[in-house]
Amino acid sequence: MSDNEPKHTDEDRGSYHHGDLRRALLDAMGAVVTREGIDAVSLRGLARMVGVAPSAAFRHFRDKRALVTAYSCEAINELVVTARAKRDAVEGDAVRFEAIILAFIGFAREQPQRFRALNRRELVDIEDLDWLQAGLAMDQLVFETLNRPDADANPRLQAARNLLAWAAVHGLVTLAMDGWISDADPDDPLGAPEISDAYRLLVALVSQGRGADVRF
Amino acid sequence: MSDNEPKHTDEDRGSYHHGDLRRALLDAMGAVVTREGIDAVSLRGLARMVGVAPSAAFRHFRDKRALVTAYSCEAINELVVTARAKRDAVEGDAVRFEAIILAFIGFAREQPQRFRALNRRELVDIEDLDWLQAGLAMDQLVFETLNRPDADANPRLQAARNLLAWAAVHGLVTLAMDGWISDADPDDPLGAPEISDAYRLLVALVSQGRGADVRF
DNA sequence: TCACTCATGTGATCAGTGATAACATCAGCT
DNA sequence: AGCTGATGTTATCACTGATCACATGAGTGA
């Protein structure tokens, strides 16, 4: 073969030395995060996986924080895209609201380590423009779905409902993911009947402004 | 002075070499956590603060995880004690419920780094007996307060309400603490009017089973 | 075609980390 | 008095993030 590669043995290949080391590092990081969580990520480990010297990573990321930020960015964007798609696939305010919630819960349940990494705000560079933009997109998605026109509601009450809904979903997901409540029931869509009950109550509250008349 | 101490210069003093190195390490850790967060804690750093060789710490803690576990234990126990005291200082189910919630929110707002450390479940040894017991005490406190006798309520609905309340409070606190929502308003008891609104809505929901008729 | 340049990767090295082992020391008991 | 065990020290290891000088090769312009 005429293209005698350097010492790399992996499936890199591309134009330059490595091809796209930045991508390769992010992909390797994805694998590590999925397998062992974001705290197990090390620059040297990623470099080893990709077959490159540790210092090479610093050509593409100023420091580890920048790497984590870029990873977080991509994860947020993916979450936003899939959530928006699921929301836009259905009609009706209440259903769309529910679709968004379920998209978040689904993401958290399918890729717990990835979702958990998203919320480790202290690990990212909160000045990073890409990251800020991704966060903005997520906020916008959430609020454009929650803040639906609701003629006869007091706007302040409506805001309170939305924040409470956001917090409750976040809390349910976080508590389950961190092991404070079990969500291992395979028969239940949300992992446990109690969680599903709480979720239904929440939906009823936000959709109808009431909760007492939910039937179980 | 007849008690010629070893080379320590600090305010240790006690019976043996150091006095109570275990305590001193935990106290030093408390200082670091409060100032810079739990991720900034290093065994060597603590040993340096206390004026002792790094390896000395391993005489009192099997590894770093054990140290963090012990710290978490003490923090949980303190939270439980103060929350229970605040709850028992008032009368009436609804008021006691609110007192517990406010105790948790207060702890989180007054000692954010400490509270955040509490929730880093992946950092502790979840087999540790002391830690398990502390967690049990907290669960018990929460549930003995939330699960008040409520004759005419469907138990499943009641459980859903309680879980939703727990999750919502946890979510509000977490979101605020992690900077997803601002809670820096000095005029508001919970840090921001939106948070207070959401909190009032939650209390109304859980206390009365409704939310639509809250006045703002 | 040739030389220049800049992006990319290498190797050596640094300080800091958790952890372990061999050694030293002191308290308290017999 | 002397033994023993708890406690602390010193030395060392493998690992981490980070930085430096240096090498190499892709692409460009003359």
Side-chain angles (χ1 to χ4, degrees):
Chain A
M1 6 185 145
S2 60
D3 59 41
N4 63 335
E5 288 282 325
K7 57 209 71 169
H8 313 139
T9 69
D10 295 318
E11 73 292 5
D12 26 53
R13 198 152 326 268
S15 60
Y16 196 61
H17 283 174
H18 178 94
D20 191 348
L21 183 52
R22 182 188 159 90
R23 242 300 30 92
L25 287 171
L26 285 172
D27 290 346
M29 175 161 176
V32 175
V33 169
T34 300
R35 192 159 10 95
E36 310 172 63
I38 197 170
D39 290 309
V41 169
S42 84
L43 277 174
R44 304 176 87 96
L46 300 186
R48 220 175 295 130
M49 292 171 65
V50 174
V52 99
S55 53
F58 291 92
R59 295 283 176 207
H60 300 271
F61 302 97
R62 186 158 24 90
D63 50 18
K64 192 183 181 183
R65 178 172 295 265
L67 168 66
V68 172
T69 303
Y71 173 83
S72 180
C73 241
E74 294 193 347
I76 292 179
N77 284 330
E78 186 186 307
L79 171 55
V80 168
V81 166
T82 69
R84 168 170 285 128
K86 289 193 179 182
R87 183 200 64 176
D88 291 345
V90 296
E91 301 246 338
D93 284 338
V95 180
R96 284 161 67 85
F97 165 78
E98 211 171 333
I100 278 278
I101 303 269
L102 286 175
F104 275 78
I105 296 182
F107 188 92
R109 299 200 71 215
E110 285 160 22
Q111 311 188 51
Q113 297 284 22
R114 195 122 168 273
F115 184 83
R116 178 184 266 112
L118 278 196
N119 290 86
R120 295 289 295 280
R121 209 165 180 270
E122 77 276 13
L123 297 182
V124 309
D125 174 12
I126 59 174
E127 314 258 319
D128 183 89
L129 290 183
D130 291 337
W131 189 84
L132 284 172
Q133 190 181 350
L136 210 66
M138 188 156 98
D139 285 355
Q140 191 185 338
L141 173 66
V142 170
F143 282 106
E144 85 190 9
T145 308
L146 290 185
N147 276 315
R148 59 191 193 281
D150 193 354
D152 56 305
N154 179 328
R156 199 167 157 194
L157 170 58
Q158 190 171 321
R161 269 188 213 159
N162 293 343
L163 178 55
L164 187 59
W166 184 20
V169 169
H170 185 79
L172 281 175
V173 167
T174 304
L175 287 174
M177 218 170 30
D178 287 351
W180 298 104
I181 52 183
S182 152
D183 69 338
D185 186 340
D187 296 335
D188 190 276
L190 296 189
E194 310 83 40
I195 300 180
S196 286
D197 285 355
Y199 167 71
R200 289 178 54 200
L201 180 60
L202 170 67
V203 169
L205 166 71
V206 176
S207 298
Q208 309 156 21
R210 326 191 51 170
D213 44 356
V214 184
R215 299 232 176 289
F216 284 102
Chain B
M1 8 185 145
S2 60
D3 58 39
N4 64 333
E5 288 282 324
K7 56 210 72 169
H8 313 138
T9 69
D10 295 318
E11 72 294 4
D12 26 53
R13 198 151 326 267
S15 59
Y16 196 60
H17 283 174
H18 179 95
D20 192 348
L21 183 52
R22 182 188 159 91
R23 239 310 18 99
L25 287 171
L26 284 172
D27 290 346
M29 175 162 177
V32 174
V33 169
T34 300
R35 193 162 5 98
E36 310 173 62
I38 198 172
D39 290 308
V41 169
S42 85
L43 278 174
R44 305 175 87 95
L46 300 186
R48 219 175 297 130
M49 292 172 64
V50 174
V52 98
S55 55
F58 291 91
R59 295 282 176 210
H60 300 271
F61 302 98
R62 186 158 23 91
D63 51 18
K64 191 183 182 184
R65 177 171 295 264
L67 168 67
V68 172
T69 304
Y71 173 82
S72 180
C73 242
E74 295 192 348
I76 292 178
N77 284 329
E78 186 185 308
L79 171 54
V80 168
V81 167
T82 69
R84 169 170 286 128
K86 289 194 180 181
R87 183 200 65 177
D88 291 346
V90 296
E91 300 247 338
D93 283 339
V95 180
R96 284 160 67 85
F97 165 77
E98 210 170 335
I100 280 277
I101 304 270
L102 287 175
F104 274 79
I105 296 183
F107 188 91
R109 299 201 70 217
E110 285 161 22
Q111 311 187 50
Q113 297 284 22
R114 194 122 167 274
F115 184 83
R116 180 186 266 111
L118 279 195
N119 290 85
R120 295 289 295 280
R121 209 164 180 271
E122 77 276 13
L123 298 183
V124 309
D125 174 12
I126 59 174
E127 314 257 320
D128 182 272
L129 290 182
D130 290 337
W131 188 84
L132 285 172
Q133 191 181 348
L136 212 66
M138 188 156 97
D139 285 354
Q140 192 184 337
L141 174 65
V142 169
F143 281 107
E144 85 190 8
T145 308
L146 290 185
N147 276 314
R148 60 191 192 282
D150 193 355
D152 56 303
N154 180 328
R156 199 167 156 194
L157 170 58
Q158 189 171 323
R161 270 188 211 159
N162 293 343
L163 178 55
L164 187 57
W166 184 19
V169 170
H170 185 79
L172 282 176
V173 167
T174 304
L175 288 175
M177 216 170 31
D178 287 351
W180 298 105
I181 53 183
S182 152
D183 68 337
D185 186 340
D187 295 335
D188 191 276
L190 296 190
E194 310 83 38
I195 301 181
S196 286
D197 284 356
Y199 167 70
R200 288 177 56 200
L201 181 60
L202 169 67
V203 169
L205 166 72
V206 175
S207 298
Q208 309 155 21
R210 327 190 49 169
D213 45 354
V214 184
R215 300 229 177 289
F216 282 102

